[in-house]
């Protein structure tokens, strides 16, 4: 009988948790801008691409150079970091009912999941 309630709690917990997370993600707005700030200095998109371009030129001039591959990899890494650092995540305005529903469902699901995992570990 206890394994039935543990399975029920697990399924109900998964449904509630992922339902709550889905509602939270639906009320979140993501925007992006190109470039980022280091202190008071703005690093623009052109400056981010420079290591990649210099690495490509170096690779054409000296095909066997390991330093050119390093510079190309560094340029790609800078571009990816710039994209990630330029993302802004904002929670949109919503009603109190929706807010309680979103986070309440997530907490309820997490509670059911933890209870099913604790009960299943005690029954072993």
């Amino acid at each position: 009988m206890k394994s039935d309630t543990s399975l029920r709690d697990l399924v109900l917990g998964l449904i509630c948790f992922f339902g709550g997370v889905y509602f939270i993600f639906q009320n979140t707005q993501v925007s992006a801008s190109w470039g980022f700030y280091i202190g008071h200095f703005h690093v623009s998109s052109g400056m981010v691409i420079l290591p990649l371009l210099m690495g490509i030129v170096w690779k054409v001039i000296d095909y066997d150079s390991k330093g050119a591959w390093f510079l190309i990899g560094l340029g790609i890494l800078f571009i990816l970091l710039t994209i990630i650092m330029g993302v802004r995540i904002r929670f949109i305005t919503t009603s109190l009912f929706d807010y309680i529903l979103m986070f309440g469902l997530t907490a309820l699901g997490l509670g059911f999941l933890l209870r099913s995992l604790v009960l299943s570990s005690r029954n072993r």
Side-chain angles (χ1 to χ4, degrees), residues 10-93:
L10 179 71
V11 171
L12 189 59
L14 286 171
I15 291 170
C16 288
F17 179 76
F18 286 114
V21 169
Y22 172 78
F23 288 133
I24 290 170
F25 285 174
Q26 287 297 313
N27 288 305
T28 304
Q29 196 173 47
V30 178
S31 62
S33 62
W34 189 250
F36 60 95
Y37 287 93
I38 298 178
H40 294 290
F41 182 69
H42 183 263
V43 180
S44 67
S45 59
M47 292 176 70
V48 170
I49 295 175
L50 279 177
L52 177 65
L53 296 177
M54 290 187 304
I56 291 171
V57 170
W58 187 2
K59 190 68 178 164
V60 169
I61 293 171
D62 184 11
Y63 185 76
D64 295 329
S65 174
K66 302 279 189 221
W69 279 117
F70 176 75
L71 201 55
I72 290 171
L74 193 65
I76 292 171
L77 180 68
F78 282 166
I79 291 170
L80 291 175
L81 286 175
T82 302
I83 292 169
I84 291 170
M85 291 174 69
V87 172
R88 297 201 188 334
I89 299 173
R90 185 175 72 89
F91 195 66
I92 62 174
T93 304

